[in-house]
Amino acid sequence: MGAAHDLAVRWAAMLDGAVAPTLTRAQVERLLDPYAAGLIDAVRGTVDTKVAREAAEALVAANYRDPLAVHRSVLVLCKDLVRAVCAGPDAPDGDVVRDRAVDVAAEFAAAFTAGLRNAALTEQESTMAAVLDAAREAEAKRQLSEARFQAIFDGASVGIGTIDITTGLVVDVNSAMAETLGVPAHLMPGRSVADILGPINIGSAFERFQQLLTGQVESFRTETVHTRPDGSVTIVDLSMSVIRDSAGKPRFLIGVTVDVTERKQLADQLWYDAHHDSLTGLPNRLLFFDRLAAADGQVGVIYLDLDGFKEINDRRGHTAGDRVLCDVAQRLRAALPENAVAARLGGDEFIVLVEECTGRAELTAVSNKILAALREPFDVAGLSVTVGASIGTALVDTHSTAIDELMHAVDSAMYRDKAARQGR
């Protein structure tokens, strides 16, 4: 047992410097101890040389992968192992022991080489398996990402379409896009946007779309009136953007459409309600003063209220009074020239704006026409009712007269007119 341990110690010392795991000298000696005893028996001829293969496999398993480990181990097996068995260089069995030692060393070298090859193959297979696992995981993530996008794409309530940035042709659209544009989804891929929308709809968006294709802009958004092939009209909010890959290279364009027809109609209706009298449909005070503030140059203003209207309300009721107000509004519309607009300020007060008024003669002519229109009796529930009107007029330059001053002048003129009429 002493010879075997000495051999293990010598072998461990020889392996110093070879690329190996982080084992201490003592740990290497304990690793080699059992194999040293078996190798001594093998060169004595009492056991099979397979112990050399086992020793080689143990070193490879311990992560000895350096060819220097083989070289030094063969030296130990051919020299130190022989000395551990033979009493001296002239021992009678020396030649036999040396021959067996060569066989043991050859067995060790072959097994070590095979072990290195198997270890390399195992590492290669492990690396390949890791690469394949990573590739499969990446593919699974990609497929999951694509599946999520497809689910969003197909189920979105807004229209979504993709366009090849190289050719400018549509790649795919969802059903919401097809419904918005009024074109079946299967008829759009492979066609240009201009071809799908047609010249009546492409309009100014065409130039901006071309800027996207050439890289001049990254995105744009516009609202446009779209006429479908069946002639129906929708209002479409269109957004288009360039989609780039991780390297920043443009891959494709994506367009999103939202049918905002109902929203636009609601907004228009809310605007109309906020700027028009709910009873007569005429512009209200707010819209009138907006028009007056936006007017340019000389304008004429006619301010009127109805004479005897309170009596109609008191004697005939508010329904009859409302009917008279609506008829007054209708007669004002019919009597006014194209450059004039009438508004209801409230109660029985009305006002007329004559834009680009040529002078006092035109303003007087419009006033007389209004008075003539209101002079005719009104039919209220089968009863003939006559309503008079007091009118005040003013001719002013909007550049030099403040609106408050203008309205004060018109109001004063109206009351002068009413007083003059009552004094007759």
Side-chain angles (χ1 to χ4, degrees):
M1 190 65 176
H5 181 68
D6 290 343
L7 179 61
V9 171
R10 173 62 180 164
W11 196 352
M14 287 289 286
L15 288 176
D16 271 353
V19 178
T22 55
L23 296 177
T24 65
R25 174 73 72 81
Q27 289 173 324
V28 177
E29 291 174 3
R30 285 195 295 272
L31 173 68
L32 296 174
D33 252 336
Y35 299 111
L39 290 169
I40 289 174
D41 290 340
V43 296
R44 285 175 175 167
T46 59
V47 297
D48 191 81
T49 58
K50 70 177 183 178
V51 67
R53 293 198 302 273
E54 295 170 354
E57 291 168 356
L59 288 176
V60 172
N63 208 33
Y64 278 97
R65 307 293 172 85
D66 194 337
L68 186 61
V70 183
H71 174 74
R72 292 183 177 180
S73 294
V74 169
L75 291 178
V76 169
L77 296 177
C78 290
K79 294 181 178 181
D80 295 277
L81 180 57
V82 172
R83 283 195 290 268
V85 174
C86 295
D90 298 326
D93 59 347
D95 291 339
V96 175
V97 170
R98 280 189 287 273
D99 288 343
R100 288 175 181 163
V102 170
D103 291 340
V104 166
E107 191 78 21
F108 175 88
F112 198 97
T113 302
L116 289 178
R117 183 175 65 252
N118 291 336
L121 289 174
T122 300
E123 288 181 358
Q124 185 178 14
E125 290 175 357
S126 298
T127 301
M128 183 62 71
V131 171
L132 290 175
D133 287 343
R136 279 193 286 267
E137 183 179 356
E139 177 64 15
K141 289 181 178 179
R142 185 188 66 79
Q143 290 179 353
L144 179 61
S145 177
E146 289 183 353
R148 286 173 177 168
F149 174 79
Q150 196 63 41
I152 295 172
F153 184 87
D154 292 336
S157 59
V158 299
I160 305 175
T162 55
I163 300 167
D164 188 302
I165 200 165
T166 303
T167 63
L169 301 180
V170 173
V171 177
D172 197 9
V173 298
N174 66 356
S175 57
M177 174 76 81
E179 183 178 350
T180 299
L181 300 182
V183 180
H186 70 277
L187 295 181
M188 285 193 263
R191 297 170 63 189
S192 69
V193 174
D195 179 39
I196 293 171
L197 297 182
I200 192 175
N201 292 312
I202 195 67
S204 61
F206 181 75
E207 181 179 352
R208 304 185 72 180
F209 177 69
Q210 292 300 119
Q211 291 175 339
L212 271 184
L213 290 176
T214 57
Q216 294 176 298
V217 297
E218 288 291 307
S219 63
F220 74 84
R221 182 175 181 178
T222 186
E223 189 175 283
T224 179
V225 177
H226 176 78
T227 303
R228 295 190 179 105
D230 63 3
S232 60
V233 176
T234 59
I235 301 173
V236 178
D237 184 300
L238 170 65
S239 301
M240 297 203 73
S241 302
V242 178
I243 303 301
R244 299 178 180 273
D245 60 19
S246 57
K249 181 180 179 181
R251 297 302 303 272
F252 58 92
L253 303 180
I254 188 165
V256 177
T257 59
V258 180
D259 186 341
V260 295
T261 306
E262 291 185 0
R263 188 178 73 194
K264 187 72 172 176
Q265 289 173 343
L266 176 60
D268 291 345
Q269 185 62 49
L270 291 174
W271 185 91
Y272 182 90
D273 292 343
H275 291 81
H276 290 79
D277 176 51
S278 60
L279 175 64
T280 64
L282 289 177
N284 60 13
R285 178 185 297 269
L286 177 63
L287 181 55
F288 177 82
F289 284 114
D290 284 347
R291 288 284 296 269
L292 182 58
D296 189 28
Q298 183 172 254
V299 298
V301 179
I302 304 170
Y303 195 173
L304 64 108
D305 68 1
L306 303 181
D307 297 331
F309 180 73
K310 184 176 182 303
E311 183 180 355
I312 294 175
N313 263 341
D314 293 342
R315 296 182 61 183
R316 309 290 185 183
H318 287 285
T319 301
D322 289 347
R323 180 68 262 166
V324 169
L325 291 175
C326 291
D327 287 347
V328 168
Q330 186 174 354
R331 292 188 187 185
L332 283 176
R333 290 192 191 95
L336 295 180
E338 291 184 359
N339 63 328
V341 60
R344 183 187 176 204
L345 298 182
D348 62 349
E349 295 180 334
F350 296 83
I351 195 166
V352 175
L353 173 66
V354 182
E355 296 179 312
E356 298 179 356
C357 187
T358 57
R360 178 61 61 180
E362 181 182 6
L363 189 59
T364 301
V366 174
S367 299
N368 290 336
K369 194 171 182 180
I370 291 173
L371 288 173
L374 298 180
R375 195 173 293 122
E376 296 294 325
F378 293 88
D379 183 0
V380 179
L383 297 176
S384 179
V385 177
T386 302
V387 176
S390 296
I391 288 183
T393 62
L395 185 67
V396 294
D397 185 348
T398 57
H399 295 305
S400 59
T401 306
I403 291 178
D404 289 343
E405 295 176 5
L406 171 64
M407 293 309 300
H408 177 70
V410 174
D411 190 50
S412 299
M414 182 197 69
Y415 282 108
R416 284 196 303 271
D417 181 75
K418 177 177 287 192
R421 288 173 183 271
Q422 291 175 347
R424 291 174 186 173

